[in-house]
Amino acid sequence: MKGALLVAGTHSDAGKSVVTAGICRWLHRQGVRVAPFKAQNMALNSVVTAGGAEVGRAQAMQAAAAGAELEAAMNPILIKPSGERHSQVIVMGEPYTDADARSYRTLKDELRPIVASALADLRSRYDVVVCEGAGSPAEINLRASDLTNMWLAREAQLPTLIVADIDRGGVFASLFGTLALLEPDDQAHVAGFVINKFRGDQRILAPGLDQLQQLSGRPTLGVLPFVQDLWLDVEDSLALDAGGAAPESAPQPGGDTLDVAVVRLRHISNFTDADALRGEPGVRVRFTRSAADIERADLVILPGTKATVEDLELLRNAGLDTALVARAALGKPILGICGGYQILGEHIHDEVESRRGSVPGLGLLPVTTNFAAQKLRRLRSGSSPWLNCTAGGYEIRHGQPRLNGGTNLPALLIADDGEPDGAVSDAVLGTSWHGVLEHDAFRRALLAWVAARSGRRFIPGTQPFADVRAKRLDVLGELIEQHLDTAALSRLIDQGLGTQLPTITTEKRQLAALPDHG
């Protein structure tokens, strides 16, 4: 098998990432060398490759599904919102520029060759590349500047599937309307549809599928069932409202449940740091903006943020700073990660991200953070002498926390190169390492410490988090194998579009095509 495919959707969060990852996993299990690709990703969840490039977390998950090593070419453009109407643009894993929505559109002409080159490079090295679109291809106000949906389909001659979420209702109108709004040359690349999150008897759905094919000239290649607690690394915090985080599990016999509250910051980033906690028996994780939740939880996590100073200000406006300070005074555990760690410190000097200058932090750790123009991006491995265990993670940050002079606090982590990271002050912990909770020894040692502080009994699980994630990816592959027409899918990838597909026309479009219809 040799070829490529584009998975588009009727809207954001329709299931593009799930279907893309599922196809990658299905092909990988068939022995096919496959890679994921997303031309442009807007997300605050990102990771670092082995080469030090920053890419979207969803592409890291898809690369894992494909059994491929993550690289910058899989997500050549990453847009990270860093405040109101302002974003950092990362190109091939490196910071490129800062832009707002209007100025970013002017960059598209210089970015298109980079996207095309990255995809061509992957296709030269892999048997199959499964591309994921962004948003909807029918965002007609953005079509002229598109580089991740139908422009990509035309440029790379990709057969395209359109995915719709039936759980939201209006699935037939969404699919047909998306197709009908596309220009004829764009429609020519749409080969079929996939319906996601179906509940009930598919025989009731069948007449609609038949009529959709009659109207559009395109088949529905499959109907994916709704799967309770289907979890995978997601792109943005919208998924938190849809239950996109990992499901929790019951405690081990004789164990207690630990309650973990993750503060839901406005510009929360890498909230998937907390996913591994739910892989442990008896750990309940909630994302919250409630002072009461902060007060009563066994562990509070202040996560990463792409707008550290702005989120600190919002914490104060909501009174959550008072709740965190009161919690620390009672000796109840708090863990700050990256931006959350910086917020827990005494001072933040920022002329880079917020450009607000010097701002007081919460004062729970004797740390001062200075923002540097150069972003630090690297994988880390080492240990936690404080918890007496191994650890690892990755860093993506402009902020550079430093312990204030005269302070003799233990570091939370020590890298293999001897560089200390983070700080521990009574029950308040901080680290710049994302992903550290995915390391089984560190996570379980931390939870045991939290349980001891809370007077609870924690009995850790025995299954490595990597195995939990692999099983979840296998579920995605099985969804594709069992519920999509994989023979038709294989033909699309291997042979392309084949016969010419009909164009959906409307009176308005026909009139608009006339030189004078006034």
Side-chain angles (χ1 to χ4, degrees):
M1 187 184 300
K2 188 78 173 174
L5 178 78
L6 174 65
V7 179
T10 54
H11 51 74
S12 294
D13 204 31
K16 298 184 294 293
S17 294
V18 170
V19 173
T20 300
I23 294 174
C24 285
R25 193 64 167 181
W26 166 66
L27 289 171
H28 174 60
R29 286 161 52 130
Q30 305 302 310
V32 177
R33 282 181 44 80
V34 57
F37 178 83
K38 187 163 185 175
Q40 172 191 292
N41 194 349
M42 179 177 284
L44 288 177
N45 279 349
S46 60
V47 299
V48 176
T49 70
E54 183 178 1
V55 299
R57 179 97 189 196
Q59 278 60 66
M61 176 273 297
Q62 291 164 355
E69 182 176 348
L70 181 66
E71 57 179 291
M74 295 174 181
N75 179 206
I77 301 172
L78 174 63
I79 303 173
K80 300 188 75 173
S82 53
E84 296 296 331
R85 305 187 189 91
H86 188 76
S87 299
Q88 182 180 57
V89 181
I90 296 167
V91 176
M92 292 302 291
E94 301 282 343
Y96 190 74
T97 189
D98 288 343
D100 58 23
R102 184 177 295 273
S103 63
Y104 178 65
R105 294 181 70 180
T106 66
L107 296 173
K108 294 296 182 73
D109 286 343
E110 60 190 86
L111 295 178
R112 284 194 178 104
I114 296 171
V115 168
S117 176
L119 177 56
D121 177 41
L122 288 176
R123 293 184 72 171
S124 73
R125 293 184 284 115
Y126 287 88
D127 297 329
V128 176
V129 179
V130 185
C131 307
E132 179 187 350
S136 164
E139 290 166 347
I140 53 179
N141 57 314
L142 303 176
R143 177 60 182 90
S145 58
D146 173 49
L147 53 71
T148 192
N149 289 308
M150 302 319 295
W151 172 85
L152 186 68
R154 283 203 215 179
E155 175 72 17
Q157 291 298 300
L158 302 175
T160 301
L161 298 179
I162 299 179
V163 181
D165 181 354
I166 196 171
D167 210 39
R168 297 182 180 223
V171 69
F172 295 116
S174 296
L175 288 168
F176 185 80
T178 296
L179 178 65
L181 278 174
L182 299 180
E183 300 170 7
D185 287 345
D186 289 345
Q187 290 189 35
H189 289 274
V190 177
F193 308 116
V194 175
I195 291 178
N196 189 30
K197 293 186 182 178
F198 179 69
R199 311 174 193 236
D201 188 341
Q202 193 167 321
R203 290 173 297 182
I204 298 174
L205 190 66
L209 300 179
D210 292 342
Q211 192 169 353
L212 179 64
Q213 181 163 0
Q214 292 169 12
L215 289 168
S216 68
R218 292 155 173 87
T220 297
L221 268 66
V223 177
L224 302 180
F226 180 89
V227 179
Q228 189 69 38
D229 293 332
L230 180 63
W231 154 64
L232 70 164
D233 295 11
V234 291
E235 288 185 338
D236 55 51
S237 57
L238 290 175
L240 297 179
D241 297 321
E248 63 200 50
S249 57
Q252 298 271 49
D256 296 325
T257 295
L258 291 179
D259 183 29
V260 178
V262 182
V263 180
R264 188 167 179 178
L265 302 172
R266 171 78 177 275
H267 302 285
I268 188 171
S269 67
N270 287 64
F271 56 83
T272 48
D273 279 339
D275 281 356
L277 292 173
R278 296 195 186 193
E280 289 294 333
V283 178
R284 179 173 58 238
V285 179
R286 290 174 292 127
F287 289 82
T288 181
R289 294 191 179 103
S290 164
D293 287 342
I294 290 174
E295 177 185 355
R296 62 181 172 232
D298 296 305
L299 170 65
V300 168
I301 295 178
L302 202 56
T305 166
K306 191 62 181 72
T308 304
V309 171
E310 186 173 333
D311 273 340
L312 171 57
E313 183 179 78
L314 293 171
L315 278 178
R316 288 194 164 108
N317 291 341
L320 298 185
D321 60 329
T322 302
L324 288 164
V325 170
R327 178 181 177 86
L330 294 172
K332 295 183 175 182
I334 300 172
L335 171 64
I337 301 176
C338 198
Y341 170 34
Q342 297 161 18
I343 287 172
L344 293 174
E346 293 178 342
H347 298 284
I348 299 171
H349 301 293
D350 180 15
E351 297 291 352
V352 176
E353 193 175 77
S354 68
R355 301 174 179 87
R356 300 266 189 98
S358 185
V359 177
L362 298 186
L364 299 181
L365 288 172
V367 168
T368 294
T369 298
N370 290 286
F371 274 68
Q374 185 70 29
K375 179 185 280 190
L376 183 63
R377 308 180 312 277
R378 58 184 179 179
L379 299 177
R380 304 302 275 159
S381 63
S383 63
S384 174
W386 182 72
L387 288 172
N388 192 29
C389 65
T390 58
Y394 56 95
E395 294 174 277
I396 308 175
R397 55 187 172 92
H398 286 283
Q400 298 182 349
R402 294 290 183 271
L403 289 175
N404 294 335
T407 300
N408 188 26
L409 292 181
L412 181 60
L413 299 160
I414 302 288
D416 288 335
D417 59 11
E419 181 180 331
D421 176 80
V424 180
S425 179
D426 190 25
V428 182
L429 323 175
T431 177
S432 295
W433 293 13
H434 290 292
V436 69
L437 294 172
E438 295 181 11
H439 286 253
D440 302 322
F442 179 87
R443 180 181 67 255
R444 289 166 182 163
L446 176 70
L447 291 173
W449 172 78
V450 168
R453 300 281 305 210
S454 304
R456 303 193 191 281
R457 187 182 184 201
F458 171 65
I459 302 177
T462 58
Q463 189 174 38
F465 179 65
D467 291 352
V468 174
R469 175 170 280 158
K471 287 183 178 180
R472 294 284 176 176
L473 295 175
D474 284 339
V475 169
L476 299 182
E478 288 161 5
L479 280 174
I480 298 301
E481 184 175 355
Q482 296 170 11
H483 299 282
L484 257 60
D485 184 343
T486 54
L489 188 60
S490 296
R491 285 194 299 273
L492 267 182
I493 294 170
D494 205 31
Q495 302 172 19
L497 288 163
T499 59
Q500 186 173 358
L501 296 166
T503 300
I504 308 302
T505 60
T506 66
E507 182 181 358
K508 292 288 186 182
R509 169 165 284 150
Q510 290 169 334
L511 288 174
L514 297 175
D516 182 5
H517 56 273

mmCIF file of all heavy atoms in Angstrom, residues 36-39 71-77 92 111-125 129 152:
data_model
loop_
_atom_site.group_PDB
_atom_site.id
_atom_site.type_symbol
_atom_site.label_atom_id
_atom_site.label_comp_id
_atom_site.label_asym_id
_atom_site.label_seq_id
_atom_site.Cartn_x
_atom_site.Cartn_y
_atom_site.Cartn_z
ATOM 1 N N PRO A 36 1.441 10.271 10.706
ATOM 2 C CA PRO A 36 0.375 11.283 10.723
ATOM 3 C C PRO A 36 0.902 12.619 10.223
ATOM 4 O O PRO A 36 2.123 12.848 10.179
ATOM 5 C CB PRO A 36 0.024 11.364 12.205
ATOM 6 C CG PRO A 36 1.345 11.139 12.894
ATOM 7 C CD PRO A 36 2.095 10.151 12.017
ATOM 8 N N PHE A 37 -0.012 13.511 9.851
ATOM 9 C CA PHE A 37 0.379 14.842 9.394
ATOM 10 C C PHE A 37 -0.765 15.806 9.664
ATOM 11 O O PHE A 37 -1.926 15.506 9.394
ATOM 12 C CB PHE A 37 0.686 14.815 7.896
ATOM 13 C CG PHE A 37 1.052 16.163 7.315
ATOM 14 C CD1 PHE A 37 2.346 16.645 7.413
ATOM 15 C CD2 PHE A 37 0.105 16.931 6.665
ATOM 16 C CE1 PHE A 37 2.688 17.873 6.872
ATOM 17 C CE2 PHE A 37 0.433 18.161 6.115
ATOM 18 C CZ PHE A 37 1.733 18.634 6.218
ATOM 19 N N LYS A 38 -0.448 16.948 10.230
ATOM 20 C CA LYS A 38 -1.417 18.038 10.334
ATOM 21 C C LYS A 38 -0.696 19.326 9.981
ATOM 22 O O LYS A 38 0.217 19.756 10.692
ATOM 23 C CB LYS A 38 -2.036 18.129 11.721
ATOM 24 C CG LYS A 38 -3.166 19.161 11.778
ATOM 25 C CD LYS A 38 -4.048 18.988 12.983
ATOM 26 C CE LYS A 38 -5.232 19.951 12.929
ATOM 27 N NZ LYS A 38 -6.187 19.725 14.025
ATOM 28 N N ALA A 39 -1.105 19.930 8.882
ATOM 29 C CA ALA A 39 -0.392 21.083 8.362
ATOM 30 C C ALA A 39 -0.341 22.220 9.368
ATOM 31 O O ALA A 39 0.703 22.831 9.598
ATOM 32 C CB ALA A 39 -1.046 21.553 7.061
ATOM 33 N N GLU A 71 8.219 13.825 14.797
ATOM 34 C CA GLU A 71 9.136 14.802 14.219
ATOM 35 C C GLU A 71 8.364 16.036 13.786
ATOM 36 O O GLU A 71 7.128 16.027 13.646
ATOM 37 C CB GLU A 71 9.882 14.202 13.029
ATOM 38 C CG GLU A 71 8.979 13.663 11.929
ATOM 39 C CD GLU A 71 9.780 13.105 10.757
ATOM 40 O OE1 GLU A 71 10.419 13.931 10.053
ATOM 41 O OE2 GLU A 71 9.780 11.883 10.558
ATOM 42 N N ALA A 72 9.089 17.119 13.577
ATOM 43 C CA ALA A 72 8.468 18.403 13.267
ATOM 44 C C ALA A 72 7.661 18.359 11.977
ATOM 45 O O ALA A 72 6.648 19.053 11.847
ATOM 46 C CB ALA A 72 9.539 19.494 13.179
ATOM 47 N N ALA A 73 8.083 17.542 11.005
ATOM 48 C CA ALA A 73 7.378 17.482 9.724
ATOM 49 C C ALA A 73 5.937 17.007 9.878
ATOM 50 O O ALA A 73 5.100 17.267 9.010
ATOM 51 C CB ALA A 73 8.117 16.571 8.758
ATOM 52 N N MET A 74 5.626 16.326 10.975
ATOM 53 C CA MET A 74 4.258 15.839 11.187
ATOM 54 C C MET A 74 3.300 16.954 11.584
ATOM 55 O O MET A 74 2.081 16.784 11.510
ATOM 56 C CB MET A 74 4.260 14.742 12.253
ATOM 57 C CG MET A 74 5.009 13.493 11.825
ATOM 58 S SD MET A 74 5.144 12.287 13.150
ATOM 59 C CE MET A 74 6.076 10.976 12.331
ATOM 60 N N ASN A 75 3.831 18.083 12.019
ATOM 61 C CA ASN A 75 3.008 19.246 12.381
ATOM 62 C C ASN A 75 3.832 20.504 12.095
ATOM 63 O O ASN A 75 4.352 21.140 13.012
ATOM 64 C CB ASN A 75 2.617 19.178 13.862
ATOM 65 C CG ASN A 75 1.782 20.358 14.337
ATOM 66 O OD1 ASN A 75 1.792 20.684 15.513
ATOM 67 N ND2 ASN A 75 1.078 21.009 13.439
ATOM 68 N N PRO A 76 3.976 20.849 10.805
ATOM 69 C CA PRO A 76 4.890 21.933 10.445
ATOM 70 C C PRO A 76 4.514 23.301 11.001
ATOM 71 O O PRO A 76 5.382 24.151 11.187
ATOM 72 C CB PRO A 76 4.875 21.916 8.916
ATOM 73 C CG PRO A 76 3.635 21.181 8.536
ATOM 74 C CD PRO A 76 3.394 20.201 9.622
ATOM 75 N N ILE A 77 3.221 23.532 11.259
ATOM 76 C CA ILE A 77 2.815 24.833 11.804
ATOM 77 C C ILE A 77 1.976 24.601 13.055
ATOM 78 O O ILE A 77 0.967 23.893 13.023
ATOM 79 C CB ILE A 77 1.997 25.645 10.784
ATOM 80 C CG1 ILE A 77 2.812 25.874 9.512
ATOM 81 C CG2 ILE A 77 1.565 26.983 11.382
ATOM 82 C CD1 ILE A 77 2.027 26.494 8.391
ATOM 83 N N MET A 92 7.950 24.388 11.826
ATOM 84 C CA MET A 92 8.895 23.266 11.857
ATOM 85 C C MET A 92 9.568 23.152 13.220
ATOM 86 O O MET A 92 10.766 22.919 13.348
ATOM 87 C CB MET A 92 9.921 23.394 10.742
ATOM 88 C CG MET A 92 9.333 23.206 9.347
ATOM 89 S SD MET A 92 8.510 21.596 9.089
ATOM 90 C CE MET A 92 9.911 20.481 9.116
ATOM 91 N N LEU A 111 4.127 30.292 4.102
ATOM 92 C CA LEU A 111 4.019 29.034 4.846
ATOM 93 C C LEU A 111 3.617 27.852 3.969
ATOM 94 O O LEU A 111 3.961 26.709 4.268
ATOM 95 C CB LEU A 111 3.016 29.188 5.986
ATOM 96 C CG LEU A 111 3.394 30.170 7.096
ATOM 97 C CD1 LEU A 111 2.272 30.261 8.134
ATOM 98 C CD2 LEU A 111 4.699 29.775 7.767
ATOM 99 N N ARG A 112 2.902 28.117 2.888
ATOM 100 C CA ARG A 112 2.423 27.012 2.047
ATOM 101 C C ARG A 112 3.554 26.137 1.506
ATOM 102 O O ARG A 112 3.452 24.904 1.542
ATOM 103 C CB ARG A 112 1.559 27.554 0.909
ATOM 104 C CG ARG A 112 0.162 27.967 1.356
ATOM 105 C CD ARG A 112 -0.754 28.169 0.156
ATOM 106 N NE ARG A 112 -2.099 28.508 0.584
ATOM 107 C CZ ARG A 112 -2.636 29.732 0.545
ATOM 108 N NH1 ARG A 112 -1.901 30.732 0.081
ATOM 109 N NH2 ARG A 112 -3.857 29.948 0.950
ATOM 110 N N PRO A 113 4.633 26.708 0.988
ATOM 111 C CA PRO A 113 5.717 25.830 0.511
ATOM 112 C C PRO A 113 6.326 24.982 1.622
ATOM 113 O O PRO A 113 6.766 23.857 1.368
ATOM 114 C CB PRO A 113 6.747 26.832 -0.043
ATOM 115 C CG PRO A 113 5.980 28.069 -0.341
ATOM 116 C CD PRO A 113 4.899 28.135 0.684
ATOM 117 N N ILE A 114 6.349 25.503 2.842
ATOM 118 C CA ILE A 114 6.880 24.747 3.971
ATOM 119 C C ILE A 114 5.981 23.548 4.256
ATOM 120 O O ILE A 114 6.454 22.427 4.488
ATOM 121 C CB ILE A 114 6.999 25.658 5.210
ATOM 122 C CG1 ILE A 114 8.005 26.777 4.944
ATOM 123 C CG2 ILE A 114 7.396 24.856 6.446
ATOM 124 C CD1 ILE A 114 8.044 27.848 6.013
ATOM 125 N N VAL A 115 4.664 23.769 4.234
ATOM 126 C CA VAL A 115 3.702 22.684 4.450
ATOM 127 C C VAL A 115 3.836 21.629 3.362
ATOM 128 O O VAL A 115 3.907 20.418 3.637
ATOM 129 C CB VAL A 115 2.266 23.251 4.478
ATOM 130 C CG1 VAL A 115 1.238 22.126 4.402
ATOM 131 C CG2 VAL A 115 2.046 24.079 5.739
ATOM 132 N N ALA A 116 3.860 22.074 2.108
ATOM 133 C CA ALA A 116 3.953 21.130 0.988
ATOM 134 C C ALA A 116 5.241 20.315 1.060
ATOM 135 O O ALA A 116 5.244 19.101 0.810
ATOM 136 C CB ALA A 116 3.861 21.888 -0.331
ATOM 137 N N SER A 117 6.331 20.968 1.420
ATOM 138 C CA SER A 117 7.624 20.277 1.508
ATOM 139 C C SER A 117 7.628 19.253 2.640
ATOM 140 O O SER A 117 8.166 18.143 2.479
ATOM 141 C CB SER A 117 8.737 21.300 1.719
ATOM 142 O OG SER A 117 9.984 20.671 1.894
ATOM 143 N N ALA A 118 7.030 19.611 3.790
ATOM 144 C CA ALA A 118 6.991 18.675 4.917
ATOM 145 C C ALA A 118 6.192 17.428 4.567
ATOM 146 O O ALA A 118 6.610 16.298 4.872
ATOM 147 C CB ALA A 118 6.390 19.364 6.142
ATOM 148 N N LEU A 119 5.042 17.611 3.911
ATOM 149 C CA LEU A 119 4.229 16.456 3.529
ATOM 150 C C LEU A 119 4.955 15.605 2.486
ATOM 151 O O LEU A 119 4.967 14.363 2.585
ATOM 152 C CB LEU A 119 2.873 16.917 3.001
ATOM 153 C CG LEU A 119 1.942 15.817 2.501
ATOM 154 C CD1 LEU A 119 1.697 14.756 3.571
ATOM 155 C CD2 LEU A 119 0.618 16.406 2.022
ATOM 156 N N ALA A 120 5.549 16.253 1.504
ATOM 157 C CA ALA A 120 6.276 15.494 0.472
ATOM 158 C C ALA A 120 7.424 14.694 1.091
ATOM 159 O O ALA A 120 7.679 13.549 0.693
ATOM 160 C CB ALA A 120 6.799 16.455 -0.593
ATOM 161 N N ASP A 121 8.094 15.278 2.084
ATOM 162 C CA ASP A 121 9.195 14.585 2.757
ATOM 163 C C ASP A 121 8.682 13.335 3.470
ATOM 164 O O ASP A 121 9.277 12.248 3.355
ATOM 165 C CB ASP A 121 9.851 15.543 3.744
ATOM 166 C CG ASP A 121 10.958 14.886 4.555
ATOM 167 O OD1 ASP A 121 11.738 14.110 3.975
ATOM 168 O OD2 ASP A 121 11.024 15.124 5.773
ATOM 169 N N LEU A 122 7.571 13.468 4.194
ATOM 170 C CA LEU A 122 7.008 12.297 4.881
ATOM 171 C C LEU A 122 6.590 11.221 3.888
ATOM 172 O O LEU A 122 6.833 10.027 4.094
ATOM 173 C CB LEU A 122 5.812 12.711 5.737
ATOM 174 C CG LEU A 122 6.104 13.501 7.013
ATOM 175 C CD1 LEU A 122 4.794 13.916 7.682
ATOM 176 C CD2 LEU A 122 6.942 12.689 7.986
ATOM 177 N N ARG A 123 5.969 11.642 2.798
ATOM 178 C CA ARG A 123 5.497 10.664 1.803
ATOM 179 C C ARG A 123 6.657 9.919 1.148
ATOM 180 O O ARG A 123 6.495 8.771 0.725
ATOM 181 C CB ARG A 123 4.630 11.360 0.756
ATOM 182 C CG ARG A 123 3.322 11.890 1.307
ATOM 183 C CD ARG A 123 2.435 12.479 0.233
ATOM 184 N NE ARG A 123 1.852 11.461 -0.622
ATOM 185 C CZ ARG A 123 0.909 11.704 -1.526
ATOM 186 N NH1 ARG A 123 0.449 12.941 -1.698
ATOM 187 N NH2 ARG A 123 0.428 10.727 -2.259
ATOM 188 N N SER A 124 7.816 10.568 1.077
ATOM 189 C CA SER A 124 8.980 9.909 0.476
ATOM 190 C C SER A 124 9.573 8.851 1.406
ATOM 191 O O SER A 124 10.282 7.950 0.947
ATOM 192 C CB SER A 124 10.049 10.946 0.132
ATOM 193 O OG SER A 124 10.690 11.440 1.308
ATOM 194 N N ARG A 125 9.255 8.950 2.723
ATOM 195 C CA ARG A 125 9.877 8.054 3.709
ATOM 196 C C ARG A 125 8.906 7.044 4.312
ATOM 197 O O ARG A 125 9.330 6.105 4.976
ATOM 198 C CB ARG A 125 10.524 8.881 4.820
ATOM 199 C CG ARG A 125 11.700 9.699 4.342
ATOM 200 C CD ARG A 125 12.400 10.438 5.480
ATOM 201 N NE ARG A 125 11.674 11.610 5.939
ATOM 202 C CZ ARG A 125 11.146 11.759 7.145
ATOM 203 N NH1 ARG A 125 11.228 10.777 8.028
ATOM 204 N NH2 ARG A 125 10.531 12.871 7.488
ATOM 205 N N VAL A 129 0.703 8.309 4.484
ATOM 206 C CA VAL A 129 0.594 9.461 5.384
ATOM 207 C C VAL A 129 -0.884 9.785 5.530
ATOM 208 O O VAL A 129 -1.590 9.976 4.531
ATOM 209 C CB VAL A 129 1.365 10.683 4.858
ATOM 210 C CG1 VAL A 129 1.191 11.871 5.814
ATOM 211 C CG2 VAL A 129 2.841 10.357 4.686
ATOM 212 N N LEU A 152 -4.753 21.832 0.742
ATOM 213 C CA LEU A 152 -3.824 20.710 0.865
ATOM 214 C C LEU A 152 -4.276 19.535 0.004
ATOM 215 O O LEU A 152 -3.458 18.874 -0.641
ATOM 216 C CB LEU A 152 -3.722 20.278 2.328
ATOM 217 C CG LEU A 152 -2.684 19.196 2.637
ATOM 218 C CD1 LEU A 152 -1.281 19.746 2.439
ATOM 219 C CD2 LEU A 152 -2.856 18.674 4.055
#
